[in-house]
Amino acid sequence: MLETRGKIISLRNNKNRRKMDNLPDLRPEQGESTPRAVAALATDPACDALIPLHAHRRAQLIHAISGVMIVRAAPGSWVVPPGRAVWVPAGIAHEIRTVGTVAMRTVFVEPGTRPGLADECRVLQISPLLRELILRAVALPLDYPLGGREERTMELLLDEIEAAPALSLHVPMPRHAGLARLCGGLVGDPAQPATLEGWAQQLHMNQRTLARLFRRETGMNFGAWCRQARLLLSLPRLAAGASILEVALEHGYDSPSAFAAMFRKTLGMPPSLYIRPQATHFVSSPPPSAGATPVDRQSRIHGVSG
């Protein structure tokens, strides 16, 4: 468990134990109750871990230095590849599933600190500057001094979070009960056939009505949603070491080339580059939904967040 410099000093000073009892709890799991409005923590969860459904009083930016995370909440699922982050507003109940070995760095932000921060979940592109600011913030004590370099670092960190572009790594889930059941089935088994005609029959409506319902509920047309869901759900399998052929067939693609073409179009790189160990993921002129940063190679700091 990560301990802060301020707590270590207090623990060593027996004369000040009475004062220490009145200080805020600075343990990492209390990252949303720190003396400062912004706090950053490091977590290396167990391989293939599940952090059950929970909510935080503070908003979070959860950054994947390595490995893949899947964040699920009522509005949908967000896939977080290495070098990206997911923004989770305060009070949003969510669960996190990690795939493989994940190094997680979390920034907690007190509600009302920056009115411009998003009020909905989204995956953000992490620029090299933002990545370094997150790593620097993790190294700061939770009770860092105000008015100096540490506070300015946190202010710049918030500036960069506000400016970070959102990525199309979201699988929106409908609220319509019947449609949600079918969408959930595809998420659970991406290889199953899915056609507008077949789903319309199961829901006892005509195809045109289903098409309108689907767009109204998810903001996407049926075909685009299926392609997006299958592609994003393939990322954990790639991270786990499955071959491109295996992943393509498991996720409803007719061939590895069709899968690779969709992968490049969405993420701005071929799957072979994405799964390359310790690859430096830079892509020239990436599409708006792409963007990547180098895989971090620093020594990991163990803590608790999520």
Side-chain angles (χ1 to χ4, degrees), residues 18-284:
R18 242 178 119 182
K19 292 181 180 179
M20 185 189 72
D21 290 339
N22 296 322
L23 291 175
D25 191 344
L26 300 185
R27 292 176 299 168
E29 64 265 35
Q30 302 299 324
E32 56 182 348
S33 302
T34 60
R36 307 294 176 247
V38 186
L41 305 171
T43 307
D44 291 345
C47 185
D48 299 326
L50 174 65
I51 301 175
L53 191 69
H54 65 287
H56 291 279
R57 188 184 63 80
R58 285 182 169 183
Q60 291 177 284
L61 181 76
I62 309 170
H63 175 42
I65 291 179
S66 65
V68 173
M69 298 183 293
I70 300 177
V71 179
R72 291 190 174 96
S77 298
W78 291 262
V79 179
V80 190
R84 277 75 162 191
V86 63
W87 174 257
V88 182
I92 299 292
H94 62 285
E95 69 173 31
I96 303 173
R97 181 165 71 88
T98 67
V99 181
T101 301
V102 171
M104 189 186 300
R105 303 296 179 261
T106 304
V107 179
F108 289 87
V109 183
E110 181 73 17
T113 301
R114 286 290 181 94
L117 292 171
D119 59 0
E120 60 184 12
C121 294
R122 57 181 56 183
V123 175
L124 301 179
Q125 179 175 327
I126 300 300
S127 67
L129 173 58
L130 180 50
R131 174 182 174 276
E132 293 304 321
L133 286 168
I134 293 170
L135 297 181
R136 176 58 188 158
V138 166
L140 295 177
L142 298 182
D143 57 345
Y144 55 85
L146 298 178
R149 179 170 174 266
E150 295 86 353
E151 185 179 16
R152 292 194 298 272
T153 296
M154 292 304 199
E155 290 295 326
L156 181 56
L157 172 60
L158 294 178
D159 289 342
E160 291 300 304
I161 293 175
E162 286 185 312
L167 305 178
S168 300
L169 297 175
H170 175 212
V171 182
M173 294 298 287
R175 296 184 182 275
H176 183 278
L179 194 53
R181 174 177 53 82
L182 293 175
C183 288
L186 182 67
V187 169
D189 179 15
Q192 67 174 267
T195 65
L196 190 65
E197 179 183 5
W199 283 27
Q201 290 176 355
Q202 294 185 62
L203 294 174
H204 307 290
M205 61 179 66
N206 63 53
Q207 294 183 46
R208 185 171 297 179
T209 301
L210 174 58
R212 289 197 297 267
L213 174 66
F214 204 99
R215 181 174 287 279
R216 184 168 66 248
E217 290 280 320
T218 67
M220 304 174 71
N221 66 49
F222 177 81
W225 186 92
C226 290
R227 290 190 296 271
Q228 178 97 335
R230 285 169 167 155
L231 178 69
L232 297 184
L233 292 168
S234 75
L235 297 180
R237 287 285 287 139
L238 287 172
S243 71
I244 295 174
L245 174 61
E246 288 178 305
V247 173
L249 297 180
E250 288 173 0
H251 290 79
Y253 288 85
D254 295 329
S255 67
S257 59
F259 172 72
M262 186 63 186
F263 196 100
R264 181 186 286 275
K265 179 180 178 181
T266 303
L267 296 177
M269 68 183 75
S272 56
L273 177 59
Y274 176 84
I275 63 177
R276 186 179 302 163
Q278 299 296 323
T280 301
H281 292 168
F282 284 110
V283 182
S284 60

